[in-house]
Coordinates of all heavy atoms in Angstrom, one line a residue:
M198 N 1.6 -15.2 -0.3 CA 2.1 -14.7 0.9 C 1.3 -15.3 2.1 O 0.1 -15.6 1.9 CB 1.9 -13.2 0.9 CG 2.9 -12.4 0.1 SD 2.8 -10.6 0.3 CE 2.1 -10.2 -1.2
S199 N 1.9 -15.4 3.2 CA 1.2 -16.0 4.3 C 0.2 -15.1 4.9 O 0.3 -13.9 4.8 CB 2.3 -16.5 5.4 OG 2.8 -15.3 6.0
K200 N -0.7 -15.7 5.6 CA -1.8 -14.9 6.2 C -1.2 -14.0 7.4 O -1.6 -12.9 7.5 CB -2.9 -15.9 6.8 CG -4.1 -15.2 7.3 CD -5.2 -16.2 7.6 CE -6.5 -15.4 7.9 NZ -7.6 -16.3 8.0
S201 N -0.3 -14.5 8.1 CA 0.3 -13.7 9.2 C 1.1 -12.6 8.6 O 1.1 -11.5 9.2 CB 1.2 -14.6 10.1 OG 2.3 -15.1 9.4
F202 N 1.7 -12.8 7.5 CA 2.5 -11.7 6.8 C 1.5 -10.6 6.4 O 1.8 -9.4 6.6 CB 3.3 -12.2 5.6 CG 4.0 -11.1 4.9 CD1 5.1 -10.5 5.5 CD2 3.5 -10.5 3.7 CE1 5.8 -9.5 4.9 CE2 4.2 -9.5 3.1 CZ 5.3 -9.0 3.7
H203 N 0.4 -11.0 5.8 CA -0.7 -10.0 5.4 C -1.1 -9.2 6.6 O -1.2 -7.9 6.5 CB -1.9 -10.7 4.9 CG -1.7 -11.2 3.5 ND1 -2.8 -11.5 2.6 CD2 -0.6 -11.6 2.8 CE1 -2.3 -12.0 1.5 NE2 -1.0 -12.0 1.5
K204 N -1.3 -9.8 7.7 CA -1.8 -9.2 8.9 C -0.7 -8.2 9.4 O -1.0 -7.1 9.8 CB -2.1 -10.2 10.0 CG -2.9 -9.6 11.2 CD -3.3 -10.8 12.1 CE -4.3 -10.3 13.1 NZ -4.8 -11.4 14.0
D205 N 0.6 -8.6 9.4 CA 1.7 -7.8 9.8 C 1.8 -6.5 9.0 O 2.0 -5.4 9.5 CB 3.0 -8.5 9.8 CG 3.1 -9.6 10.9 OD1 2.3 -9.6 11.8 OD2 4.0 -10.5 10.7
V206 N 1.7 -6.7 7.7 CA 1.8 -5.6 6.7 C 0.6 -4.6 7.0 O 0.8 -3.4 7.1 CB 1.8 -6.1 5.3 CG1 1.6 -4.9 4.3 CG2 3.0 -6.8 5.0
L207 N -0.6 -5.1 7.1 CA -1.8 -4.3 7.3 C -1.6 -3.5 8.6 O -1.9 -2.3 8.7 CB -3.1 -5.1 7.3 CG -4.3 -4.3 7.2 CD1 -4.4 -3.3 6.1 CD2 -5.5 -5.2 7.2
N208 N -1.2 -4.2 9.7 CA -1.0 -3.5 11.0 C 0.1 -2.4 10.9 O -0.1 -1.3 11.4 CB -0.6 -4.5 12.1 CG -1.8 -5.4 12.5 OD1 -2.9 -5.1 12.3 ND2 -1.4 -6.6 13.0
A209 N 1.1 -2.7 10.1 CA 2.2 -1.7 10.0 C 1.7 -0.5 9.2 O 2.0 0.7 9.5 CB 3.4 -2.3 9.2
I210 N 0.9 -0.7 8.2 CA 0.3 0.4 7.4 C -0.6 1.2 8.2 O -0.6 2.4 8.2 CB -0.4 -0.2 6.1 CG1 0.6 -0.8 5.1 CG2 -1.3 0.9 5.4 CD1 0.0 -1.6 4.0
N211 N -1.5 0.5 9.0 CA -2.5 1.2 9.8 C -1.7 2.1 10.9 O -2.1 3.2 11.2 CB -3.5 0.3 10.5 CG -4.5 -0.2 9.5 OD1 -4.8 0.4 8.5 ND2 -5.0 -1.4 9.7
K212 N -0.7 1.5 11.5 CA 0.1 2.2 12.5 C 0.7 3.5 11.9 O 0.7 4.5 12.5 CB 1.1 1.3 13.1 CG 1.9 1.9 14.2 CD 2.9 0.9 14.8 CE 3.7 1.6 15.9 NZ 4.7 0.7 16.5
K213 N 1.4 3.3 10.8 CA 2.1 4.4 10.2 C 1.1 5.5 9.6 O 1.5 6.7 9.7 CB 3.0 4.0 9.0 CG 4.3 3.3 9.6 CD 5.2 3.0 8.5 CE 6.5 2.3 9.1 NZ 7.6 2.3 8.2
S214 N 0.0 5.1 9.1 CA -0.9 6.0 8.5 C -1.9 6.7 9.5 O -2.4 7.8 9.2 CB -1.7 5.4 7.4 OG -2.7 4.5 7.9
G215 N -2.1 6.0 10.6 CA -3.1 6.5 11.6 C -4.5 6.3 11.1 O -5.4 6.9 11.6
K216 N -4.7 5.6 10.0 CA -6.0 5.4 9.4 C -6.2 3.9 9.3 O -5.3 3.1 9.0 CB -5.9 6.0 8.0 CG -7.2 5.9 7.3 CD -7.1 6.5 5.9 CE -8.4 6.3 5.1 NZ -8.3 6.9 3.8
K217 N -7.4 3.5 9.7 CA -7.8 2.1 9.6 C -8.1 1.7 8.2 O -9.1 2.1 7.6 CB -9.0 1.8 10.6 CG -9.5 0.4 10.6 CD -8.5 -0.5 11.4 CE -9.1 -1.9 11.6 NZ -8.1 -2.9 11.7
I218 N -7.3 0.8 7.6 CA -7.5 0.3 6.3 C -7.9 -1.1 6.4 O -7.2 -1.9 7.0 CB -6.2 0.5 5.4 CG1 -5.8 2.0 5.4 CG2 -6.4 -0.1 4.0 CD1 -4.4 2.2 4.8
S219 N -9.0 -1.5 5.7 CA -9.4 -2.9 5.8 C -8.7 -3.8 4.9 O -8.2 -3.4 3.9 CB -10.9 -2.9 5.5 OG -11.1 -2.8 4.1
S220 N -8.6 -5.0 5.3 CA -7.9 -6.0 4.4 C -8.7 -6.2 3.1 O -8.1 -6.4 2.0 CB -7.8 -7.4 5.1 OG -9.1 -7.9 5.4
G221 N -10.0 -6.0 3.1 CA -10.8 -6.0 1.9 C -10.4 -5.0 0.9 O -10.3 -5.2 -0.3
A222 N -10.1 -3.8 1.4 CA -9.7 -2.7 0.5 C -8.3 -2.9 -0.1 O -8.1 -2.7 -1.3 CB -9.7 -1.3 1.3
V223 N -7.5 -3.5 0.7 CA -6.1 -3.9 0.2 C -6.2 -5.0 -0.8 O -5.6 -4.9 -1.9 CB -5.2 -4.3 1.4 CG1 -3.9 -4.8 0.8 CG2 -5.0 -3.1 2.3
N224 N -7.0 -6.0 -0.5 CA -7.2 -7.1 -1.5 C -7.8 -6.6 -2.8 O -7.4 -7.1 -3.9 CB -8.1 -8.2 -0.9 CG -7.3 -9.0 0.2 OD1 -6.1 -9.0 0.2 ND2 -8.1 -9.6 1.1
K225 N -8.8 -5.7 -2.7 CA -9.4 -5.1 -3.9 C -8.4 -4.4 -4.8 O -8.4 -4.6 -6.0 CB -10.6 -4.2 -3.5 CG -11.3 -3.7 -4.7 CD -12.5 -2.8 -4.2 CE -13.2 -2.2 -5.4 NZ -14.3 -1.3 -5.0
L226 N -7.6 -3.6 -4.2 CA -6.6 -2.9 -4.9 C -5.5 -3.9 -5.5 O -5.1 -3.8 -6.6 CB -5.9 -1.8 -4.0 CG -4.8 -1.0 -4.7 CD1 -5.3 -0.2 -5.9 CD2 -4.1 -0.1 -3.7
A227 N -5.1 -4.8 -4.7 CA -4.1 -5.8 -5.1 C -4.6 -6.6 -6.3 O -3.8 -7.0 -7.1 CB -3.7 -6.7 -3.9
S228 N -5.9 -6.9 -6.3 CA -6.4 -7.7 -7.4 C -6.3 -7.0 -8.8 O -6.5 -7.6 -9.8 CB -7.9 -8.1 -7.1 OG -8.7 -7.0 -7.2
T229 N -6.1 -5.7 -8.7 CA -6.0 -4.9 -10.0 C -4.6 -4.9 -10.5 O -4.4 -4.5 -11.7 CB -6.5 -3.5 -9.8 OG1 -5.6 -2.8 -9.0 CG2 -7.9 -3.4 -9.3
V230 N -3.6 -5.4 -9.7 CA -2.2 -5.3 -10.2 C -1.9 -6.6 -11.0 O -2.2 -7.7 -10.6 CB -1.3 -5.3 -8.9 CG1 0.2 -5.3 -9.4 CG2 -1.6 -4.1 -8.1
K231 N -1.4 -6.3 -12.2 CA -1.1 -7.4 -13.1 C 0.4 -7.3 -13.3 O 1.1 -6.3 -13.0 CB -1.8 -7.1 -14.5 CG -3.3 -6.9 -14.4 CD -4.0 -8.2 -14.1 CE -5.5 -8.0 -14.1 NZ -6.1 -8.3 -12.9
P232 N 1.1 -8.3 -13.9 CA 2.5 -8.2 -14.1 C 2.9 -7.0 -15.0 O 3.9 -6.4 -14.8 CB 2.8 -9.5 -14.9 CG 1.8 -10.5 -14.4 CD 0.5 -9.6 -14.2
S233 N 2.0 -6.7 -15.9 CA 2.3 -5.5 -16.8 C 2.3 -4.2 -16.0 O 2.9 -3.2 -16.5 CB 1.3 -5.5 -17.9 OG -0.1 -5.3 -17.4
T234 N 1.6 -4.2 -14.9 CA 1.6 -2.9 -14.1 C 2.9 -2.5 -13.7 O 3.3 -1.3 -13.6 CB 0.7 -3.1 -12.8 OG1 -0.6 -3.5 -13.2 CG2 0.6 -1.9 -12.0
M235 N 3.8 -3.5 -13.3 CA 5.1 -3.2 -12.9 C 6.1 -2.7 -14.0 O 7.1 -2.2 -13.7 CB 5.7 -4.5 -12.2 CG 5.0 -4.9 -11.0 SD 4.9 -3.6 -9.8 CE 3.8 -4.3 -8.6
Q236 N 5.6 -3.0 -15.2 CA 6.5 -2.6 -16.4 C 6.0 -1.3 -17.0 O 6.7 -0.6 -17.8 CB 6.5 -3.7 -17.4 CG 7.0 -5.0 -16.9 CD 8.4 -4.9 -16.2 OE1 9.3 -4.3 -16.8 NE2 8.6 -5.5 -15.1
N237 N 4.7 -0.9 -16.8 CA 4.2 0.3 -17.4 C 4.2 1.5 -16.4 O 3.6 1.5 -15.4 CB 2.7 0.0 -17.8 CG 2.0 1.1 -18.4 OD1 2.0 2.2 -17.9 ND2 1.5 0.8 -19.6
E238 N 5.0 2.5 -16.7 CA 5.2 3.6 -15.8 C 4.0 4.3 -15.4 O 3.7 4.6 -14.3 CB 6.2 4.6 -16.4 CG 6.6 5.6 -15.4 CD 7.8 6.5 -15.8 OE1 8.7 6.0 -16.6 OE2 7.9 7.6 -15.3
A239 N 3.1 4.5 -16.4 CA 1.8 5.2 -16.1 C 1.0 4.4 -15.1 O 0.4 5.0 -14.2 CB 1.0 5.5 -17.4
Q240 N 0.9 3.1 -15.3 CA 0.1 2.3 -14.4 C 0.7 2.2 -13.0 O 0.0 2.2 -12.0 CB -0.1 0.9 -15.0 CG -0.9 0.8 -16.2 CD -1.0 -0.6 -16.8 OE1 -0.3 -1.5 -16.4 NE2 -1.8 -0.8 -17.8
L241 N 2.0 2.1 -13.0 CA 2.8 2.0 -11.7 C 2.6 3.3 -10.9 O 2.3 3.3 -9.7 CB 4.2 1.8 -12.0 CG 5.1 1.5 -10.8 CD1 4.5 0.4 -9.9 CD2 6.5 1.1 -11.2
R242 N 2.6 4.5 -11.6 CA 2.4 5.8 -11.0 C 1.0 5.8 -10.4 O 0.8 6.3 -9.3 CB 2.6 6.9 -11.9 CG 4.0 7.2 -12.3 CD 4.2 8.3 -13.3 NE 5.6 8.7 -13.4 CZ 6.2 9.5 -12.6 NH1 5.5 10.1 -11.7 NH2 7.4 9.8 -12.8
Q243 N 0.0 5.3 -11.2 CA -1.4 5.3 -10.7 C -1.5 4.5 -9.5 O -2.2 4.8 -8.5 CB -2.3 4.8 -11.8 CG -3.8 4.8 -11.4 CD -4.7 4.3 -12.5 OE1 -4.2 3.8 -13.6 NE2 -6.0 4.4 -12.3
L244 N -0.9 3.3 -9.5 CA -0.9 2.4 -8.3 C -0.4 3.1 -7.1 O -0.9 3.0 -6.0 CB -0.2 1.1 -8.6 CG -0.1 0.1 -7.5 CD1 -1.5 -0.4 -7.1 CD2 0.8 -1.1 -7.9
I245 N 0.8 3.7 -7.2 CA 1.4 4.4 -6.1 C 0.5 5.5 -5.6 O 0.3 5.6 -4.3 CB 2.8 5.0 -6.6 CG1 3.8 3.9 -6.9 CG2 3.3 5.9 -5.5 CD1 5.0 4.4 -7.7
K246 N -0.1 6.2 -6.4 CA -1.1 7.3 -6.0 C -2.3 6.7 -5.3 O -2.8 7.3 -4.3 CB -1.5 8.2 -7.2 CG -0.3 9.0 -7.6 CD -0.7 9.8 -8.9 CE 0.5 10.6 -9.3 NZ 0.3 11.4 -10.5
Q247 N -2.8 5.5 -5.8 CA -3.9 4.9 -5.1 C -3.6 4.4 -3.7 O -4.3 4.6 -2.8 CB -4.4 3.7 -6.0 CG -5.1 4.1 -7.2 CD -5.5 2.9 -8.1 OE1 -4.6 2.0 -8.4 NE2 -6.7 2.8 -8.5
V248 N -2.4 3.9 -3.6 CA -1.9 3.4 -2.3 C -1.7 4.6 -1.3 O -2.1 4.6 -0.2 CB -0.6 2.6 -2.4 CG1 0.0 2.3 -1.0 CG2 -0.9 1.3 -3.1
S249 N -1.2 5.7 -1.9 CA -0.9 6.9 -1.1 C -2.3 7.4 -0.6 O -2.4 7.8 0.6 CB -0.2 7.9 -2.0 OG -0.2 9.2 -1.3
S250 N -3.2 7.5 -1.5 CA -4.6 8.0 -1.1 C -5.2 7.1 -0.1 O -5.8 7.6 0.9 CB -5.4 8.1 -2.4 OG -6.7 8.5 -2.0
M251 N -5.1 5.8 -0.3 CA -5.8 4.8 0.7 C -5.2 5.0 2.1 O -5.9 4.9 3.1 CB -5.5 3.4 0.2 CG -6.1 2.3 1.1 SD -5.7 0.6 0.6 CE -6.6 0.5 -1.0
A252 N -3.9 5.2 2.1 CA -3.2 5.3 3.4 C -3.2 6.7 4.0 O -2.8 6.9 5.1 CB -1.7 4.8 3.3
N253 N -3.7 7.6 3.2 CA -3.8 9.0 3.6 C -2.4 9.6 3.9 O -2.2 10.3 4.8 CB -4.7 9.2 4.8 CG -5.2 10.6 4.9 OD1 -5.2 11.4 3.9 ND2 -5.5 11.0 6.1
I254 N -1.4 9.2 3.1 CA -0.1 9.7 3.2 C 0.3 10.3 1.9 O 0.4 9.6 0.8 CB 0.9 8.5 3.5 CG1 0.5 7.9 4.9 CG2 2.3 9.0 3.6 CD1 1.3 6.6 5.2
P255 N 0.6 11.6 1.9 CA 1.0 12.2 0.6 C 2.4 11.8 0.2 O 3.3 11.5 1.0 CB 1.0 13.7 1.0 CG 1.1 13.8 2.5 CD 0.5 12.5 3.0
V256 N 2.5 11.6 -1.1 CA 3.8 11.1 -1.7 C 4.2 12.2 -2.8 O 3.4 12.5 -3.7 CB 3.6 9.7 -2.4 CG1 4.9 9.3 -3.0 CG2 3.2 8.7 -1.3
S257 N 5.4 12.7 -2.6 CA 5.8 13.7 -3.6 C 6.2 13.1 -4.9 O 6.4 11.9 -5.0 CB 7.1 14.4 -3.0 OG 8.2 13.5 -3.0
E258 N 6.2 14.0 -5.9 CA 6.6 13.5 -7.3 C 8.0 12.9 -7.3 O 8.2 11.9 -8.0 CB 6.5 14.7 -8.3 CG 6.6 14.2 -9.7 CD 5.6 13.2 -10.2 OE1 4.4 13.3 -9.8 OE2 6.0 12.3 -10.9
D259 N 8.9 13.5 -6.5 CA 10.2 12.9 -6.4 C 10.2 11.5 -5.8 O 10.9 10.6 -6.3 CB 11.1 13.8 -5.5 CG 11.5 15.1 -6.2 OD1 11.4 15.2 -7.4 OD2 11.9 16.1 -5.5
T260 N 9.4 11.3 -4.8 CA 9.3 10.0 -4.2 C 8.7 9.0 -5.2 O 9.1 7.8 -5.3 CB 8.5 10.0 -2.9 OG1 9.2 10.9 -2.0 CG2 8.4 8.6 -2.2
I261 N 7.7 9.4 -5.9 CA 7.0 8.5 -6.9 C 8.1 8.1 -7.9 O 8.2 7.0 -8.3 CB 5.8 9.2 -7.6 CG1 4.7 9.4 -6.6 CG2 5.4 8.5 -8.8 CD1 3.5 10.2 -7.1
Q262 N 8.9 9.1 -8.4 CA 9.9 8.8 -9.4 C 10.9 7.8 -8.8 O 11.4 6.9 -9.5 CB 10.6 10.1 -9.8 CG 11.5 9.9 -11.0 CD 10.9 9.3 -12.2 OE1 9.8 9.7 -12.6 NE2 11.5 8.4 -12.9
E263 N 11.3 8.0 -7.6 CA 12.2 7.0 -6.9 C 11.7 5.6 -6.9 O 12.4 4.6 -7.2 CB 12.6 7.5 -5.5 CG 13.5 8.7 -5.5 CD 13.9 9.1 -4.0 OE1 14.0 8.2 -3.2 OE2 13.9 10.3 -3.8
I264 N 10.4 5.5 -6.5 CA 9.7 4.2 -6.4 C 9.7 3.6 -7.8 O 10.0 2.4 -8.0 CB 8.3 4.3 -5.8 CG1 8.4 4.8 -4.3 CG2 7.6 3.0 -5.9 CD1 7.1 5.2 -3.7
V265 N 9.2 4.3 -8.8 CA 9.2 3.8 -10.2 C 10.5 3.3 -10.6 O 10.7 2.2 -11.2 CB 8.6 4.9 -11.1 CG1 8.8 4.5 -12.6 CG2 7.1 5.2 -10.8
G266 N 11.6 4.1 -10.4 CA 12.9 3.8 -10.8 C 13.4 2.5 -10.1 O 14.0 1.6 -10.7
A267 N 13.1 2.4 -8.8 CA 13.5 1.2 -8.0 C 12.8 -0.1 -8.5 O 13.4 -1.1 -8.7 CB 13.2 1.4 -6.6
V268 N 11.5 0.1 -8.8 CA 10.7 -1.1 -9.3 C 11.3 -1.5 -10.7 O 11.5 -2.7 -10.9 CB 9.2 -0.8 -9.4 CG1 8.5 -1.9 -10.1 CG2 8.7 -0.6 -8.0
K269 N 11.5 -0.6 -11.6 CA 12.0 -0.9 -12.9 C 13.4 -1.5 -12.8 O 13.7 -2.5 -13.5 CB 12.0 0.3 -13.8 CG 10.6 0.7 -14.3 CD 10.7 1.8 -15.3 CE 9.4 2.0 -16.0 NZ 9.5 2.8 -17.1
K270 N 14.2 -0.9 -12.0 CA 15.6 -1.4 -11.9 C 15.7 -2.8 -11.3 O 16.5 -3.6 -11.8 CB 16.4 -0.5 -11.0 CG 17.9 -0.8 -10.9 CD 18.6 0.2 -10.0 CE 20.1 -0.2 -9.8 NZ 20.8 0.7 -9.0
S271 N 14.8 -3.1 -10.4 CA 14.8 -4.4 -9.8 C 14.2 -5.5 -10.6 O 14.3 -6.7 -10.3 CB 14.1 -4.4 -8.4 OG 12.7 -4.2 -8.6
G272 N 13.4 -5.1 -11.6 CA 12.7 -6.1 -12.4 C 11.6 -6.7 -11.6 O 11.2 -7.9 -11.8
M273 N 11.1 -6.0 -10.6 CA 10.1 -6.6 -9.6 C 8.9 -7.1 -10.4 O 8.4 -6.5 -11.3 CB 9.7 -5.4 -8.7 CG 8.6 -5.9 -7.6 SD 9.2 -7.2 -6.6 CE 10.4 -6.5 -5.6
N274 N 8.4 -8.2 -9.9 CA 7.2 -8.7 -10.5 C 6.2 -9.1 -9.3 O 6.7 -9.2 -8.2 CB 7.4 -10.0 -11.4 CG 8.1 -11.1 -10.6 OD1 7.5 -11.6 -9.6 ND2 9.2 -11.6 -11.1
P275 N 4.9 -9.1 -9.6 CA 4.0 -9.3 -8.5 C 4.2 -10.6 -7.8 O 3.8 -10.7 -6.6 CB 2.6 -9.3 -9.3 CG 2.9 -8.6 -10.5 CD 4.3 -8.8 -10.9
S276 N 4.8 -11.6 -8.3 CA 5.0 -12.8 -7.6 C 6.0 -12.7 -6.5 O 6.2 -13.5 -5.6 CB 5.4 -14.0 -8.6 OG 6.7 -13.7 -9.1
N277 N 6.8 -11.6 -6.5 CA 7.8 -11.4 -5.5 C 7.4 -10.1 -4.6 O 8.3 -9.5 -4.1 CB 9.2 -11.2 -6.1 CG 10.3 -11.4 -5.1 OD1 10.1 -11.9 -4.0 ND2 11.5 -10.9 -5.4
M278 N 6.2 -9.9 -4.5 CA 5.7 -8.7 -3.7 C 6.0 -8.8 -2.2 O 6.2 -7.8 -1.6 CB 4.2 -8.5 -3.9 CG 3.8 -8.0 -5.3 SD 4.7 -6.5 -5.8 CE 3.7 -5.3 -4.9
E279 N 6.1 -10.0 -1.7 CA 6.4 -10.2 -0.3 C 7.7 -9.6 0.1 O 7.9 -8.9 1.1 CB 6.3 -11.6 0.2 CG 6.4 -11.8 1.6 CD 6.1 -13.2 2.1 OE1 5.6 -14.1 1.3 OE2 6.4 -13.5 3.3
A280 N 8.7 -9.8 -0.8 CA 10.1 -9.3 -0.5 C 10.0 -7.8 -0.6 O 10.7 -7.1 0.3 CB 11.0 -9.8 -1.6
L281 N 9.3 -7.2 -1.5 CA 9.2 -5.7 -1.6 C 8.5 -5.2 -0.3 O 9.0 -4.2 0.2 CB 8.4 -5.3 -2.8 CG 8.2 -3.8 -3.0 CD1 9.6 -3.1 -3.2 CD2 7.3 -3.6 -4.3
M282 N 7.5 -5.8 0.1 CA 6.7 -5.3 1.3 C 7.6 -5.4 2.5 O 7.6 -4.5 3.3 CB 5.5 -6.1 1.5 CG 4.4 -5.9 0.4 SD 3.9 -4.2 0.2 CE 3.1 -3.9 1.8
K283 N 8.4 -6.5 2.7 CA 9.3 -6.6 3.8 C 10.3 -5.5 3.8 O 10.6 -4.9 4.8 CB 10.0 -8.0 3.8 CG 9.1 -9.1 4.3 CD 9.8 -10.4 4.3 CE 8.9 -11.5 4.8 NZ 9.5 -12.8 4.7
M284 N 10.9 -5.2 2.6 CA 11.9 -4.1 2.5 C 11.3 -2.8 2.9 O 11.9 -2.0 3.6 CB 12.4 -4.1 1.0 CG 13.4 -3.0 0.8 SD 13.9 -2.9 -0.9 CE 12.5 -2.1 -1.6
M285 N 10.1 -2.5 2.4 CA 9.4 -1.2 2.7 C 9.0 -1.1 4.2 O 9.1 0.0 4.7 CB 8.2 -1.1 1.8 CG 8.5 -0.9 0.4 SD 7.1 -0.9 -0.7 CE 6.2 0.5 -0.2
M286 N 8.7 -2.2 4.8 CA 8.3 -2.1 6.2 C 9.5 -1.8 7.1 O 9.3 -1.3 8.2 CB 7.7 -3.5 6.7 CG 6.3 -3.7 6.1 SD 5.6 -5.3 6.5 CE 5.8 -5.4 8.3
N287 N 10.7 -2.1 6.7 CA 11.9 -1.9 7.5 C 12.4 -0.5 7.3 O 13.3 -0.1 8.0 CB 13.0 -2.9 7.1 CG 12.7 -4.3 7.5 OD1 12.0 -4.5 8.5 ND2 13.1 -5.3 6.7
K288 N 11.8 0.3 6.5 CA 12.2 1.7 6.4 C 11.6 2.6 7.4 O 10.5 2.4 7.9 CB 11.8 2.2 5.0 CG 12.8 1.6 3.9 CD 12.8 2.4 2.7 CE 13.9 1.9 1.8 NZ 14.5 2.9 1.1

């Protein structure tokens, strides 16, 4: 992903959450994501909860289930995360 895209995503997250999240924190979390994370429901749920906690935005169990379903249905893999982030930013 491009550096300007990273900055745009981080700015959007900070604006929506009202909390200053550092790029280092995002990079640290992103480094834990493996291709298997997107296929393992327990790991994916944990990742969603970590992001929710980092952004200080509560996520309901229904929303978590919707995200898990969407990721599994799309066959999303970490190499195509930029497309997913763009889609999420437009919501």
